[in-house]
Amino acid sequence: MPAPASSARSLAPVALAGLAAAPAALMFVPVPTLRLWLIHLLALEASLVTVLVAGLALLLARRARPGARKIAVVAAALALLTALLPFALAAPLFLRTGARFSPTEYARGADVPSVIERLGILLDAGSPGLPSDIYEAVGAGPHPFVVVVHGGAWRRGERGESPWVSRTLARAGITVIDVHYRLSPESRFPAAIGDVKCLLGRARERAAELDLDPSRAALLGRSAGGEIALVAAYSSGDPRLPPSCATEDAPVRGVVGIYSPTAMVWGHDHPVRPDVVRGPEALEAYLGGTPAESPEAYRLATPQSWVDGRVLPRTLLIHGGLDRMVSAEHSERLARALEEQKQPVRLLEIPLAEHGFDRRSGGLGEQLARAAILEFLSGL
């Protein structure tokens, strides 16, 4: 009968290898429910923890009995290699873009000094349901500014996503106006587009008060907010999609779409499987029916529809290559359409990054995205 100490030495590396193998597997296996998808996202974003656990299992396996050692080594090695993949594939992007990976930020989150934040500001007095948060730019103005549009499948969500990015931009001299908009199905397309245009226009009207340069504006949206931001930017001045208040619908200089749905009919007909957020249902609630029932809404809500020869603002598209809610095909299609029309566009596709990869401050993809956004908006 083996001694208790020997059994413990064999059990520990096997147990640690199992702890590493489980999240490593969850990084890539299909996830049929939203709860499992959230665990899958966590496994991806904490893959360095899996690397450390697997490495410890390999170290302890040297003292285990042969049978246990073999199991631990195989499981831990596979987990280690799997968990290292996001870093290996992202390394060329860091080198190519000049972004710097910070292990400290990865472990603790982005360390951004505080800025002046004015929360719940009503830019349009006639829209009490559309408050905005303002992150005041540091330094002498007037400042360029960016209107940030939250995600939430057009049906939910609130302003305040990724506040560390807003603070980073404010520290760099760019005022951030993080807005809310009316949600579906109570308020269908194009209500959200009109609301964003309204708040953009009101910010320009109050430029002196807010220390803004009204000519140096941009839009930034995440997920559904990316579609709203892109369409609002591309359709400026078009009477079919006016602001929801009496204000000028002037163009912006740049727009950022982060894991944005851009091909609305294609997205309705080709949802990511398994579809844990019921994508077609969200589109129908937003656009008033299926593509056959609301063809004009689908056309006008598709950013590619506006790539029709008009002069468009500079575009930055950011998407995760492993996105299981909004396929990277959406951003790829829009980038191709813009390139074909000689419109200025940059696509940053982050390998093995999921939908919402930037919701964890300091994550691998979040660091890449934050650096790209800062560089892009600094050129306003």
Side-chain angles (χ1 to χ4, degrees), residues 154 189 193 221 223-236 238 240-241 255-267 283 286-287 295-313 315-317 319 326 329-339 341 343 345:
W154 304 283
F189 178 86
I193 308 291
S223 195
E227 179 270 338
I228 294 168
L230 289 162
V231 173
Y234 293 171
S235 67
S236 64
D238 195 294
R240 291 170 294 178
L241 297 181
V255 59
V256 182
I258 306 173
Y259 39 82
S260 311
T262 69
M264 310 304 267
V265 173
W266 182 87
L283 281 168
Y286 175 51
L287 297 172
E296 184 67 0
Y298 276 80
R299 190 179 71 82
L300 294 177
T302 297
Q304 286 91 313
S305 298
W306 299 93
V307 187
D308 56 4
R310 68 184 70 201
V311 177
L312 299 177
T315 301
L316 171 63
L317 301 172
H319 221 116
V326 178
E329 177 75 12
H330 285 267
S331 288
E332 292 166 2
R333 284 176 173 236
L334 178 55
R336 286 196 298 268
L338 290 165
E339 288 169 352
Q341 292 290 322
Q343 300 283 357
V345 60

Side-chain angles (χ1 to χ4, degrees), residues 25-339:
L26 277 170
M27 289 170 59
F28 297 106
V29 298
V31 284
T33 68
L34 182 58
R35 186 181 298 274
L36 280 176
W37 180 86
L38 290 169
I39 298 173
H40 150 77
L41 176 61
L42 178 61
L44 276 169
E45 291 303 311
S47 62
L48 190 57
V49 176
T50 300
V51 169
L52 296 175
V53 174
L56 181 58
L58 288 172
L59 286 174
L60 295 178
R62 295 181 301 174
R63 302 179 60 190
R65 297 198 306 272
R69 183 188 311 127
K70 183 176 181 180
I71 294 171
V73 167
V74 170
L78 288 173
L80 180 69
L81 292 173
T82 300
L84 280 173
L85 271 177
F87 291 88
L89 295 177
L93 276 179
F94 278 98
L95 293 173
R96 187 161 63 246
T97 62
R100 182 182 63 85
F101 174 70
S102 168
T104 302
E105 284 193 359
Y106 185 90
R108 300 180 182 177
D111 184 17
V112 182
S114 61
V115 297
I116 296 174
E117 301 176 18
R118 299 169 59 190
L119 308 181
I121 303 299
L122 286 181
L123 292 174
D124 180 56
S127 303
L130 303 179
S132 302
D133 295 338
I134 299 177
Y135 298 76
E136 294 188 4
V138 172
H143 300 283
F145 70 102
V146 58
V147 173
V148 173
V149 189
H150 66 80
W154 304 283
R155 297 179 293 188
R156 53 186 173 269
E158 280 288 350
R159 67 193 193 280
E161 292 178 340
S162 306
W164 56 90
V165 177
S166 297
R167 295 182 189 119
T168 297
L169 294 173
R171 295 295 302 181
I174 303 166
T175 293
V176 176
I177 303 176
D178 194 341
V179 304
H180 188 60
Y181 53 87
R182 287 173 291 169
L183 304 174
S184 69
E186 291 78 14
S187 300
R188 291 175 171 167
F189 178 86
I193 308 291
D195 289 344
V196 168
K197 288 186 173 187
C198 169
L199 297 175
L200 172 63
R202 291 292 188 238
R204 282 174 161 144
E205 292 170 10
R206 298 171 63 174
E209 171 194 344
L210 299 174
D211 203 15
L212 306 177
D213 182 344
S215 68
R216 299 167 67 196
L219 292 167
L220 181 153
R222 296 179 175 88
S223 195
E227 179 270 338
I228 294 168
L230 289 162
V231 173
Y234 293 171
S235 67
S236 64
D238 195 294
R240 291 170 294 178
L241 297 181
S244 60
C245 61
T247 189
E248 184 182 8
D249 187 11
V252 294
R253 288 194 179 183
V255 59
V256 182
I258 306 173
Y259 39 82
S260 311
T262 69
M264 310 304 267
V265 173
W266 182 87
H268 181 277
D269 296 341
H270 300 84
V272 179
R273 300 295 186 188
D275 183 9
V276 299
V277 290
R278 302 192 301 276
E281 179 183 307
L283 281 168
E284 291 170 18
Y286 175 51
L287 297 172
T290 66
E293 294 166 338
S294 305
E296 184 67 0
Y298 276 80
R299 190 179 71 82
L300 294 177
T302 297
Q304 286 91 313
S305 298
W306 299 93
V307 187
D308 56 4
R310 68 184 70 201
V311 177
L312 299 177
R314 295 186 305 124
T315 301
L316 171 63
L317 301 172
I318 303 175
H319 221 116
L322 195 64
D323 196 319
R324 297 187 184 181
M325 286 192 179
V326 178
S327 168
E329 177 75 12
H330 285 267
S331 288
E332 292 166 2
R333 284 176 173 236
L334 178 55
R336 286 196 298 268
L338 290 165
E339 288 169 352

